[in-house]
Every structure is written in C-alpha cells, then in structure tokens.
Amino acid sequence: MKKLQRMLSLLLALTMVFGLWSLTYAVEGSDVTLSLSFSQPGVKVGESVTLSIEADRDFSTRGAGMTICYDDTVLAPDLEGSSTAAPLQIHAVTVGGKAALRVSFMPGLEPVTFSAAELLAQISFKALAVTEQTSVSVDAAYLYDEQLSEIPVHSAGEACLAVEPAAEYVPVTGIALDKTELTLEEGKMESLKATVEPIGASDPAVVWTSSNEKAAIVSDGVVKALTEGSATITATTKDGGFTASCTVTVKAPNAGYTVKMPADTVATIGGSVRIPVVISNEDGQTGYNAFDISFAYDPEVLELSSTTLSGVTVTAQSGKVNVLGYGEDRSAGSVPFTLEFKVLKMQSSEVQITTARVDNSGNAVVRNASLASLMDDRTAIAVTGYPVTLPEGFNGSNNATPGEDYTFTALNDYYDYTIAVTVGGQEITVTKNGNGSYTIPAELVTGEIVVSATKTGKIFKVTLGTDMTGSATAQYGTDYVATINRDESYRYTVTVTIGGKEYTGYMASGKTYTIPGEDITGEIVFKVEKTLIVPVNPPGPADPSDPANPTDPPKPVTYHSVSFAGSGAGAAQGNATSVAHGGTYTLNLKKQAGYNYTVAYKMGGKPAVAVSPNGNGSYTVTNVSAPLEIIIEKALNIEISVYEYLTLDKKSVFLIVADAALGSGSVFTCDGDVMYYSEAYGAWAYLLITNEHLDLSDVQPRVKIAALNDRLLVYSGYDVDRNGQVDWNDVQLAHDLYNAKYDAFDTVNMSKYLSADVNADGKLDVRDVAQIAWAIWTSEEARA
C-alpha cells in the first residue's frame, strides 16, 4: 500500500511538472475555504501592503497549489519580503497572459498539516499607480489529502485595495523596457512594458514614438508592424526626459507555414540517418507550391547520401545543402523530401535548418516566398557505435561501442545454435561463455557486426511402454510417432509425460500416437497399462431360440473395441478401450487448460456423429453395436481484447492483446506481422495506428496463429529506451510518447511503445511516467 501511495504521490508531482493540472481524483474530506485580506484598505503610491491568505479549517495535505491573480500595473509583489507556512513556496507566473503568483508545494511522502490558526501566506506588494480600487483573487486552488484525493477548495471572495497619490512629489530617475529587440510579421502587434523608476514616482507618464512609422507605429506601448523594414520604438518620461528604446524588425508574413524537423535520433557508424522534413500550415492553408530550405551539418561526421531527390533541386557543398521545390501542388502536413546521411565516425552531431521559406502560387505575384516558422530547427544525432544485426529473438544491444567488448545471448529455447559472426565483412571467432552468451573482444569491434545462427532441434530420450515401438530419441520441431501393437484380448491405457510433466496433447489414431514437434521439450516417457478383458455371462433367460430347453447355456457377451483419434485424443486418459455389444459407453476427458474440445464418434466406420457433453462434462454413446472410434478435437481458446492505448493528433493507437496456451513453436500475428509477447501483460500484444475506431469485431479476423518459434519479446520493467539502464531518459521518452511527439513506429519502434506501459493497464498515460520516476527515486534512495 505504501508503494502505491508513493507512486501516486510522484504521479501528482509529475502532473504539476509537465503541466497536467487537469487530472481529477476522488473527492474525500470536508471542503476548505480560502480567504484573502489586505493589511489595510488603502495605501499611497510607493508604499507597501501585505496580503494574507488563510483557511477556514485545519487540513492535512500531501500536495497544494493556489494561483493568486493581481493587476501588475497597480501592484508589484515583493517576494523577498513575503513569507509562507512551510513547506509552501511562492513563485511568480503568468496565467492567461496575466500576472499571477503561485503558492504551492510539490507532493511528498509525508502529509503536512496546516492550522486555521496560522496564515498560509503573507505576500508583500508595493503600490505602483493610483486607482480607486484594485483586487486580488484566487484563480484556482488544488489540495490533495493523505490518500491523494482532491479536497474541494472554495474562495471566500477577492481582496480589494485603494491606492492614493504619494504624500510628496517623487521625481523620475530612469526608465527601462521589458524588451530591447522585437521581431514582428506585417500586421502583427505586441506590447512593450515600460518600468519607470522609482516605483511610486509622482509623474510616471510616458510618451511613445517610432523612428519609422512606415515600418511600425506605437500607441501606449502597443507596437503594430506595418511593412517590411525596421524601426526604433522609444519611450520617454515626461518628468526628466529619460528614454529607453527597442529595435523592431518587421518581416513579411509567413502565411502560417511551419517547417518541422524530426525528433532526435540515434545512429551507428556506417549506418544511415533519414531526415524527413514536414511542411504544415496553422492558418488554414491546405497546400503550398514553393519552398526553399537550407540545412547545415558537420561533413566530418555525416556524408550526404541524397544528392538527388525526385521532384526537387538539391544543391550541396561541404556541410551545407539547399532543397528547392516549386510548381507542384503539395498538401499541407506532407513530407516533400527526405534527406539521408551516412554516419562516418563515432561523434554526436546534428542537422540544422538555417533558413526556410514556403508559399503558395497565389502569392507569387505579390511578394517573395514567406519565411516559415521553425517548429524544431534541428535534429540531434547520437552516434552510439557500430550497427549490430542479431538473429530474431537473440538478446543484445543493436550497436557496439568501439574499444569495448560486445556480448550477446542466444535464445534460451529448445534449439542448439551454431553461431557465425562477421565484423566489417570479415568472419571472426567469438568467445563462447558457456551460459548461452557470446562475447566479441574489444580489439575486434572495428566495424559493423552481423551475427547469424543455424539451429537444430534439441534431442531428448524416449522411453516406450509395453507393446510399443518407436525411436529411442525425439527431436524438438519434428513430430514423434510411436505405435502400440494391441492384443485385442486386453484393454490399453496410455499416459505420457514430457520433461516429467503430464502431457495430453498427443494425437491418437488407431495404433499410432503422435506428439507434435513443438511440444517435444524434454524426455518423453510412455506408460502403458493393459488389462485382460474377461467375457462376462450376463444373467437372464436362456437362448430364446430354444425356449423348450431352459438348460441351454446363455450366449457369451460380444465386446467391441473403443479407439480414440483426433488432435485431442490424449485427453481420453483412463477410459475403457472396449464396450459390451448394445451397451452404453461413457467418455471422460482430462482437458488441457486453454483449449476447447469437441467430441464425435464413428460406429462400424459409418459417418461421424457429434456428441454433446452431459451436465457433468462427460460424453455418452448409447447402443454400441460395432467397433467404436471416438474423435476428439481440441482448439485453442483465444481471448482477444482491444484497448485505446494512446490518442494522437486526429488518430489513435489501439492495443490488441491476444492470449492462448500457444506451444513454444507458435506465435500470434496481426495483419501478417508477428505480435510481441509482453511479459507485463502475460499475453501477446500489437499496436495499430488509425483514424478510425477499432472494436473486437474489427480486430478478430486480423489475428492469426503462425508456426514460428522466434518470439518477439517486450520486457517488463522501466528501461523504456532499452539502453540497459533506468534513468530520466526513460521518463522523458515515456512523457514524449504520451504527449504524441511521435506518431509512427519509425523513430520509436513498437517494442519501446509497448514497454512504456509500465503499469500494464492497457494504456499509456502520465501514471506510467510517474511509476518510472518512482522506480528511479526509490533506487536512488537505496543507493544513498
């Protein structure tokens, strides 16, 4: 329970850190009402006043936050002169473009108790300007009780204050602007804020002027950009003539076009890095025609491979490349080109956009192509070493670091592997460590590593039962067939163990017993029990063919053989193998978990007849008049579930989970791709990105079973980026995935997406981010 509470505590902390204040929790406890009051109803300009914040009752909380809004043209907070009840702290923030203060503390393990008898905070303000009334109010407040449930918070109302002129004349001594440089597009406006010194000057009036009113004009500090060019905006105090200036650069509008680089990526020496560039529009434009984008890169680390691209003009020189396109109608949000680079050496690098212009054909006659906004002007490339190719299912890093040993591990399954390794195209000998792992010595890690493996099924001993013939060994992956030479005078009962465990998955047909190759995972032992069939003379009248002679002996009872066939024949363990003529035969099945069974019979070779189970799960065939063959078929009971894993921009990621008792030589596939086996879910998982809603009926036909042995694994734990250690990069990656930074499985593969659901609840959200951070937190405490 303490672990769960601590996880939730950190969840709230990360919620605040990542701006996710909209999360709600179960409401428990009594309401808390906050009241605000000034230390006096009015002050003069330049004087200070104290705002007190108090609660109407005692309360305990593990996390608190309240936002206090005020008019910053009238009041200026003095945080150094303010105080709070521990552990509350005060921070200046901006809410909705307006000045505010946030009084808060981040959630912790231990609750903090506040008393109604003590003030929560005392905030000092200095009066700046004369006003009949200014008010301070609570915009929002959050409290979480000891169970991390939200405590409802109310405000008793706003605190009001009047500010009068200063008692004596205070001359102006200087002026400053909040910005000294400003870049605006044509038609855009932005406000400059002038601070007249000292606070409380008797005449703080300011005159605003522009040096170039063709480019930009100004009124009461609001600058409006007119045409491309530059202007100096100057604020001059009436008292004393003090000045402060801001240089304004006006650019042509960008028509809302944006250019976005892909996310930071990882590459290996000799490998390729693809840079798809996305051009979008935020002002409703649906397309574009012309673009002119230049990039810079380090030619000592990266070599441009895409010197020729379809439909565009590429101009390249050492460390620079320009891509120019025009004429063709292109859709906003599309990728008009993708640059590709080859990594030359072990050194981190980046590709950066230096300039970008985009426009549509309608503007070609009135202006040059507009400057585009850069959503992300660079892609960092971390070069981690040489690329490594491993056989499917082998474990090891996908890159090797020069000068360090590289170790990989073969699959721990039912195959024996013969390993071959090349480094830089040259075959080498690796060290076999004896525990299923192999090591390439550091001095041989000099190029791309390719590991290949040939596999042969492991061979296991077979012990046959009485009257049985078959091979003395069985090999994994190859069906094993044994034959029982029946003596019709006996009833036979066959049981099988594999690796010491009872096994019922064999198929029986007549005298043969077949074990599927994927089930041969240990030593096989057949045990045969044979019981002599003794004819029974049933009581009753003498042979009715001679009623006059009651001393005639009765006719002997005729018995018919009973055999089992079908994929589920092994489940008929312990059942009789003969039945009296005209009698009733009852079948009991020892069913294997995870399978559904159907039963039918043939009598005297006639067409099969289905048999329904009795109320107790047994099956009955009546009036047996010929040899009876009972056909038992079993099929996997597959459970499929669909969850909405993550919401992207206009799309959703759906999680498909399939569960069944698959043999070790089978896998699930979705749309023909092998699904991942997730240790966290204890089932098979796959993700689909679509702009349509998916339900179970949509997904079921897409999930199949294939005969493959190599499972793709998703490991449980907190190492989301799979770099071998759990650190804050894993928190960051999970957070980026949750916030839809990636919308495909190219940069971040599906395995990492699935690993990010660390609490295995079928969706990726901020709780997963919190749990990873909690794991790091506790680990750091343990090390401390």
Side-chain angles (χ1 to χ4, degrees):
M1 183 63 183
K2 290 183 178 178
K3 178 178 178 180
L4 175 61
Q5 289 176 345
R6 183 167 189 172
M7 184 188 77
L8 291 174
S9 173
L10 188 61
L11 162 64
L12 292 175
L14 290 170
T15 295
M16 297 179 184
V17 170
F18 293 125
L20 301 170
W21 285 73
S22 61
L23 287 173
T24 59
Y25 298 87
V27 176
E28 294 182 11
S30 302
D31 295 8
V32 173
T33 300
L34 300 176
S35 60
L36 311 180
S37 61
F38 279 112
S39 56
Q40 56 199 76
V43 294
K44 298 182 182 298
V45 171
E47 292 180 346
S48 295
V49 64
T50 300
L51 176 75
S52 296
I53 306 174
E54 58 186 328
D56 67 333
R57 72 169 179 89
D58 299 348
F59 63 92
S60 292
T61 177
R62 278 211 172 110
M66 61 193 79
T67 303
I68 311 299
C69 293
Y70 65 95
D71 185 346
D72 62 344
T73 65
V74 178
L75 298 174
D78 175 14
L79 299 187
E80 291 186 0
S82 302
S83 63
T84 61
L88 289 169
Q89 296 181 335
I90 307 175
H91 301 279
V93 295
T94 301
V95 178
K98 296 181 179 180
L101 298 174
R102 184 157 288 155
V103 182
S104 64
F105 76 93
M106 304 303 282
L109 291 179
E110 300 300 328
V112 178
T113 299
F114 295 95
S115 170
E118 65 175 334
L119 295 175
L120 297 177
Q122 287 186 297
I123 305 174
S124 177
F125 288 94
K126 179 170 281 191
L128 302 179
V130 175
T131 181
E132 290 185 2
Q133 179 177 289
T134 187
S135 62
V136 178
S137 61
V138 177
D139 178 67
Y142 305 87
L143 300 177
Y144 297 94
D145 66 15
E146 295 182 27
Q147 283 72 45
L148 295 172
S149 298
E150 188 174 336
I151 303 172
V153 183
H154 306 286
S155 173
E158 59 188 14
C160 297
L161 181 74
V163 183
E164 301 175 353
E168 58 184 37
Y169 190 84
V170 178
V172 173
T173 59
I175 186 173
L177 297 181
D178 60 336
K179 301 181 185 73
T180 57
E181 293 183 353
L182 186 61
T183 299
L184 293 174
E185 292 181 358
E186 293 176 2
K188 300 294 184 180
M189 294 188 295
E190 188 160 336
S191 295
L192 295 175
K193 182 179 179 181
T195 301
V196 175
E197 299 172 348
I199 293 175
S202 296
D203 185 5
V206 173
V207 177
W208 296 87
T209 58
S210 170
S211 66
N212 181 3
E213 293 192 344
K214 290 184 178 180
I217 57 176
V218 61
S219 175
D220 291 332
V222 179
V223 180
K224 181 177 181 179
L226 299 179
T227 59
E228 196 168 7
S230 63
T232 300
I233 303 298
T234 303
T236 305
T237 63
K238 288 184 176 181
D239 181 7
F242 295 96
T243 62
S245 299
C246 175
T247 300
V248 177
T249 302
V250 181
K251 294 185 175 182
N254 72 358
Y257 288 107
T258 61
V259 179
K260 183 178 181 180
M261 293 279 279
D264 297 344
T265 188
V266 175
T268 52
I269 302 171
S272 295
V273 176
R274 291 173 58 82
I275 308 290
V277 177
V278 180
I279 297 179
S280 302
N281 190 280
E282 297 183 346
D283 288 348
Q285 295 281 351
T286 59
Y288 60 95
N289 300 87
F291 58 86
D292 184 354
I293 307 176
S294 295
F295 303 83
Y297 63 94
D298 185 346
E300 294 187 0
V301 181
L302 302 174
E303 178 184 275
L304 181 67
S305 306
S306 52
T307 54
T308 303
L309 295 173
S310 176
V312 299
T313 301
V314 180
T315 305
Q317 53 182 306
S318 181
K320 297 179 181 179
V321 58
N322 173 263
V323 183
L324 177 66
Y326 56 88
E328 180 183 343
D329 289 331
R330 294 175 169 87
S331 298
S334 65
V335 178
F337 62 90
T338 297
L339 294 177
E340 188 167 345
F341 296 87
K342 180 180 179 181
V343 179
L344 302 178
K345 64 179 182 180
M346 183 82 173
Q347 180 179 320
S348 295
S349 189
E350 67 178 16
V351 178
Q352 179 183 3
I353 298 177
T354 53
T355 61
R357 290 182 177 272
V358 183
D359 221 328
N360 59 46
S361 60
N363 292 328
V365 296
V366 295
R367 63 169 184 249
N368 294 329
S370 302
L371 284 171
S373 298
L374 302 180
M375 299 295 288
D376 187 352
D377 66 346
R378 66 192 66 205
T379 294
I381 303 165
V383 182
T384 56
Y386 296 108
V388 178
T389 302
L390 294 172
E392 187 69 49
F394 277 44
N395 293 324
S397 174
N398 57 9
N399 60 80
T401 303
E404 296 181 8
D405 290 351
Y406 177 79
T407 298
F408 63 93
T409 304
L411 274 170
N412 182 20
D413 56 11
Y414 302 103
Y415 286 105
D416 292 319
Y417 291 90
T418 301
I419 305 296
V421 179
T422 61
V423 177
Q426 299 296 315
E427 189 169 350
I428 66 162
T429 301
V430 297
T431 301
K432 190 173 183 179
N433 300 322
N435 59 356
S437 68
Y438 300 79
T439 297
I440 301 173
E443 61 270 16
L444 296 181
V445 181
T446 58
E448 179 181 2
I449 297 174
V450 177
V451 179
S452 58
T454 56
K455 60 185 182 180
T456 54
K458 290 183 178 180
I459 295 175
F460 300 96
K461 179 183 175 182
V462 178
T463 301
L464 294 169
T466 304
D467 294 341
M468 295 192 80
T469 57
S471 174
T473 60
Q475 186 174 30
Y476 175 76
T478 302
D479 292 354
Y480 180 84
V481 179
T483 301
I484 186 166
N485 301 308
R486 295 180 183 273
D487 183 336
E488 297 302 327
S489 300
Y490 289 87
R491 179 184 300 119
Y492 289 81
T493 301
V494 178
T495 57
V496 182
T497 61
I498 296 181
K501 297 180 180 179
E502 185 178 1
Y503 174 73
T504 62
Y506 58 81
M507 293 178 287
S509 180
K511 297 180 178 182
T512 62
Y513 290 78
T514 302
I515 298 177
E518 64 268 18
D519 292 348
I520 300 173
T521 57
E523 181 179 353
I524 301 173
V525 177
F526 287 91
K527 183 179 179 181
V528 178
E529 294 182 0
K530 50 189 290 189
T531 306
L532 181 64
I533 300 174
V534 179
V536 177
N537 296 328
D543 185 358
S545 62
D546 188 5
N549 185 5
T551 61
D552 283 352
K555 289 186 175 181
V557 177
T558 301
Y559 281 85
H560 301 293
S561 65
V562 179
S563 60
F564 306 102
S567 59
Q573 290 187 12
N575 287 269
T577 55
S578 64
V579 60
H581 181 81
T584 297
Y585 185 84
T586 299
L587 171 71
N588 292 286
L589 296 183
K590 193 169 187 178
K591 296 181 179 180
Q592 185 176 350
Y595 285 83
N596 295 323
Y597 289 81
T598 58
V599 176
Y601 72 88
K602 292 181 180 179
M603 194 180 300
K606 293 181 180 180
V609 178
V611 183
S612 298
N614 302 322
N616 58 3
S618 65
Y619 300 79
T620 301
V621 181
T622 60
N623 194 24
V624 179
S625 59
L628 184 65
E629 181 183 26
I630 298 181
I631 305 154
I632 307 167
E633 300 291 351
K634 70 174 185 177
L636 276 173
N637 178 22
I638 303 175
E639 296 182 8
I640 300 176
S641 303
V642 182
Y643 306 89
E644 189 163 4
Y645 189 74
L646 180 65
T647 300
L648 304 174
D649 183 18
K650 299 179 182 178
K651 294 183 179 180
S652 292
V653 181
F654 286 93
L655 168 66
I656 298 150
V657 177
D659 190 16
L662 289 186
S664 55
S666 299
V667 298
F668 274 113
T669 64
C670 183
D671 292 341
D673 295 330
V674 176
M675 296 175 67
Y676 289 82
Y677 186 79
S678 168
E679 294 178 337
Y681 301 145
W684 299 76
Y686 197 79
L687 296 175
L688 290 173
I689 300 177
T690 178
N691 56 6
E692 299 178 356
H693 182 77
L694 294 181
D695 56 29
L696 192 58
S697 62
D698 300 318
V699 171
Q700 280 180 320
R702 305 167 77 160
V703 177
K704 309 287 186 184
I705 298 175
L708 296 171
N709 185 62
D710 295 334
R711 293 190 175 194
L712 303 177
L713 296 178
V714 176
Y715 296 94
S716 58
Y718 305 107
D719 183 14
V720 179
D721 60 13
R722 310 309 305 165
N723 72 346
Q725 63 182 13
V726 178
D727 54 26
W728 288 98
N729 283 339
D730 297 295
V731 178
Q732 184 64 51
L733 178 56
H735 172 259
D736 289 345
L737 292 172
Y738 170 68
N739 284 287
K741 183 175 182 180
Y742 308 103
D743 57 4
F745 300 129
D746 46 10
T747 303
V748 179
N749 62 35
M750 190 183 300
S751 177
K752 292 181 180 178
Y753 257 94
L754 289 167
S755 294
D757 181 18
V758 297
N759 62 5
D761 64 353
K763 59 185 176 182
L764 175 56
D765 58 22
V766 72
R767 291 166 178 81
D768 297 295
V769 180
Q771 192 160 332
I772 301 168
W774 171 83
I776 297 170
W777 187 4
T778 53
S779 175
E780 289 175 348
E781 285 187 351
R783 288 196 298 270

